[in-house]
Amino acid sequence: MTKITINTAPIEGQKPGTSGLRKKCRVFMTEHYLENFVQAIFDGIGGVQGKTLIVGGDGRFYNDKATEIILRMAAANGAGRAIAGQNGLLSTPAASHLIRSMKTDGGIILSASHNPGGIDEDFGIKYNMSNGGPAPESVTDAIFDVTKSIQEYHIFEGGSVDLSVIGATALGDMQIDIVDPVTAYVDLMQSLFDFPAIGKMIAGGTAIRFDAMNAITGPYASAIIEDLLGAAKGSVVHGTPLPDFGGMHPDPNPTWAHELMDEMMGPNAPAFGCASDGDGDRNMIVGPNCYVSPSDSLAVIAANATVAPGYASGLKGVARSMPTSAALDRVAEALGIACYETPTGWKFFGNLMDDGRVSLCGEESFGTGSDHVREKDGVWAVLMWLNIMAVTGKSVPEIMQDHWAKFGRNYYSRHDFEAIESDKADAMITALRGALAGLKGQSFGAMTVETADDYSYLDPVDGSTSAHQGVRVVFEGGARFVVRLSGTGTSGATLRLYVEKLDLKDFDQDPQEALADVLKAAHTIIQIEGFSGRTAPDVIT
Ligand code: G1P
Ligand code: ZN
């Protein structure tokens, strides 16, 4: 292969969002599109001369080609070594672990997470730093700046890199190591959790269903849950990663993981149900007839984490994204540890973990994780739940009832209104921001507004500020709603409305009923119908 320099020109709209650059696959496949962005990453991080990088992705359409292009560009840009998952596969948490454990300079992860895959669906790319976590805004801004002035990129042409064979090869002066995507991650999980105890519980008859949704976690879950922990073959369903996820929308929530939900709500439900998303960082936990909301899952994990060997010495502190429910705060208070609130997106947790302030963190969007990596981690959350069940001897419904009895129940729900025209969504948010100052003291039905603001975050570690991270309205008594626009979509705008209300006595209500008055007030204040014409959400979690 020969190293060449290709002339190019800036392409509009290459601004990374909540989690890297996400666009339709066909957009990424247009001439120079991926290459421009990859070169912008390299230039934006100060070049890759002599550096070591991890490369891999969730296996969606174009993952293999893009992995190869990145390797050819890394070599042409002078990188010293690249480590790629076999066939270009790496779950996001496994990539984060490799970046850290191999002491590399960073990594490129190819994924559009839980968005559908295929040539007509979504693709994505993001850069993670040497700590294994998503690049902070200062770095993504620098990358975006390069995309606006880029004139050329460097690449090896005239041959291909074989991603299928495990072992070391070279391209120019760059060493390439193709590694098994699963091995190192499995070792890490074994160092954190009590595999013998979980295996014993499974051998005792605890049936499991893990829905990998035809995405990246299939090989990880089969190796861990079936091969190592001894669950029956077939416990992992949809276990083969497919470029189009077999048409599934690999988002582990009750709407998209409906097959799992039907099973778990049915008469022959296994004791434990779970699912993960496209790139393996999200999770959903379900017991027989018992859906565990992600905010509750995070709180339960915080309250019980010390049963797992990796967390036996206690938690340093915990963190949650601002729209996530305050169930975690109540646990932190009881444990006497700090609870941090951050904007939406995993990147804000990294500084807190690197600074030794938090061990556990999570988001309402089916993301939970700890300082073992710098990404959220779906399989990790599943193993934590199994470890808790194995040590306490309790079922999922028993764990939930006990938790609420001790801490109260933060009824919680998120309503998503998808594909609203962007200008209408922007007008809605602008009007809401304008109305905030006058809301205090106003009543909406039985609800009276106590505070209303536009959330801004001051990072306690690096002193940076992130403004406009969501509008929040708190009512007297503590019920609240939060509203923000999604930063991960690829077309139009998605409005996310998060509602929450603490109940200390009655734990068996339907969340939508328990939250009806908050929802009503939120619709009136935001004027969702007036601005968008929408009366009902597309997805409720
Ligand atoms: C969504 C979630 C957010 C998560 C992100 C990446 O972002 O809401 O919590 O970190 O996906 O998985 P959003 O589309 O809301 O910007
Ligand atoms: Zn994901």
Side-chain angles (χ1 to χ4, degrees):
M1 277 199 254
T2 359
K3 186 170 127 180
I4 54 171
T5 296
I6 308 249
N7 290 325
T8 187
I11 299 172
E12 264 201 39
Q14 293 198 323
K15 185 175 169 53
T18 310
S19 193
L21 182 65
R22 298 244 178 109
K23 296 285 171 196
K24 288 291 170 203
C25 201
R26 284 191 193 274
V27 173
F28 269 102
M29 292 165 71
T30 53
E31 195 181 23
H32 304 323
Y33 196 93
L34 175 71
E35 292 84 348
N36 270 21
F37 192 72
V38 172
Q39 188 66 50
I41 292 177
F42 292 163
D43 294 352
I45 61 171
V48 291
Q49 185 67 42
K51 289 183 179 173
T52 299
L53 298 173
I54 301 291
V55 187
D58 63 13
R60 67 181 58 230
F61 192 88
Y62 202 50
N63 184 82
D64 47 358
K65 296 241 168 35
T67 302
E68 206 199 315
I69 290 170
I70 293 164
L71 292 177
R72 290 198 271 121
M73 289 185 66
N77 276 275
R81 184 181 177 203
I83 301 161
Q86 186 181 25
N87 297 319
L89 297 179
L90 280 177
S91 77
T92 293
S96 180
H97 176 54
L98 281 182
I99 291 171
R100 296 165 63 76
S101 61
M102 309 280 293
K103 307 224 174 330
T104 68
D105 296 286
I108 294 183
I109 301 179
L110 301 167
S111 169
S113 187
H114 49 286
N115 294 5
I119 191 167
D120 291 314
E121 298 294 351
D122 292 354
F123 193 77
I125 174 169
K126 68 173 179 174
Y127 181 72
N128 279 26
M129 312 290 283
S130 60
N131 72 346
E137 260 160 35
S138 57
V139 174
T140 54
D141 285 349
I143 293 169
F144 180 47
D145 278 347
V146 179
T147 70
K148 291 188 278 191
S149 60
I150 188 165
Q151 297 299 327
E152 59 181 34
Y153 62 84
H154 312 291
I155 189 163
F156 269 94
E157 293 277 18
S160 59
V161 184
D162 187 355
L163 297 172
S164 68
V165 183
I166 290 179
T169 62
L171 179 53
D173 293 331
M174 184 178 85
Q175 179 182 334
I176 299 179
D177 292 288
I178 306 290
V179 299
D180 181 279
V182 175
T183 316
Y185 180 81
V186 172
D187 292 347
L188 175 64
M189 292 301 111
Q190 284 187 289
S191 75
L192 298 174
F193 297 111
D194 190 343
F195 273 48
I198 302 171
K200 204 169 151 204
M201 174 180 77
I202 291 173
T206 298
I208 296 174
R209 181 177 176 121
F210 184 115
D211 195 335
M213 306 189 87
N214 295 321
I216 193 71
T217 51
Y220 296 84
S222 304
I224 294 173
I225 291 175
E226 294 181 0
D227 300 347
L228 280 169
L229 293 171
K233 291 278 174 218
S235 299
V236 177
V237 297
H238 301 123
T240 305
L242 300 173
D244 64 350
F245 306 125
M248 287 182 97
H249 185 152
D251 196 355
N253 62 43
T255 303
W256 294 116
H258 51 85
E259 278 183 46
L260 175 68
M261 289 303 283
D262 289 349
E263 177 88 9
M264 297 309 296
M265 300 301 143
N268 301 314
F272 185 77
C274 52
S276 189
D277 73 328
D279 63 329
D281 57 358
R282 294 187 173 199
N283 76 91
M284 177 171 76
I285 304 294
V286 205
N289 237 319
C290 178
Y291 162 70
V292 181
S293 88
S295 292
D296 277 349
S297 173
L298 175 63
V300 165
I301 289 175
N304 295 282
T306 52
V307 302
Y311 304 86
S313 58
L315 303 175
K316 293 170 188 156
V318 291
R320 63 165 171 85
S321 67
M322 183 273 281
T324 302
S325 96
L328 180 68
D329 308 41
R330 303 181 66 75
V331 174
E333 205 187 334
L335 293 175
I337 56 175
C339 181
Y340 293 85
E341 188 177 53
T342 60
T344 294
W346 208 259
K347 59 190 172 213
F348 297 97
F349 294 134
N351 276 354
L352 300 174
M353 292 194 278
D354 288 346
D355 202 45
R357 292 173 187 240
V358 309
S359 316
L360 275 186
C361 46
E363 296 190 272
E364 49 64 44
S365 52
F366 300 83
T368 353
S370 87
D371 53 4
H372 66 292
V373 289
R374 292 293 181 274
E375 290 278 3
K376 56 195 174 230
D377 190 343
V379 173
W380 172 91
V382 165
L383 289 171
M384 180 61 102
W385 265 88
L386 289 172
N387 203 148
I388 293 169
M389 289 167 69
V391 173
T392 61
K394 290 182 197 158
S395 68
V396 176
E398 286 166 353
I399 290 172
M400 290 322 303
Q401 285 297 332
D402 289 0
H403 187 88
W404 293 329
K406 194 163 171 195
F407 299 101
R409 178 170 181 182
N410 289 71
Y411 281 100
Y412 187 85
S413 186
R414 179 174 113 180
H415 288 202
D416 290 340
F417 301 79
E418 294 175 346
I420 299 176
E421 284 162 51
S422 295
D423 51 346
K424 291 183 180 168
D426 290 342
M428 179 161 40
I429 295 291
T430 306
L432 180 60
R433 284 196 182 118
L436 287 178
L439 280 179
K440 190 177 157 65
Q442 279 199 52
S443 292
F444 300 86
M447 318 283 301
T448 304
V449 175
E450 192 170 84
T451 59
D453 71 348
D454 191 358
Y455 176 55
S456 177
Y457 177 63
L458 173 66
D459 187 309
V461 180
D462 67 17
S464 63
T465 302
S466 302
H468 305 303
Q469 296 294 325
V471 166
R472 51 184 179 182
V473 174
V474 181
F475 297 96
E476 285 173 7
R480 69 163 190 167
F481 75 83
V482 172
V483 65
R484 56 179 284 280
L485 296 181
S486 159
T488 57
T490 53
S491 51
T494 293
L495 181 84
R496 304 206 194 283
L497 170 62
Y498 314 76
V499 285
E500 174 179 1
K501 187 185 196 178
L502 174 66
D503 196 315
L504 294 172
K505 287 196 294 280
D506 182 359
F507 312 135
D508 295 316
Q509 296 174 67
D510 173 86
Q512 302 307 318
E513 279 165 25
L515 293 162
D517 49 357
V518 194
L519 278 164
K520 197 157 175 241
H523 274 263
T524 309
I525 293 171
I526 307 166
Q527 296 180 51
I528 297 179
E529 186 176 0
F531 280 99
S532 72
R534 303 290 179 83
T535 50
D538 300 286
V539 177
I540 295 181
T541 52

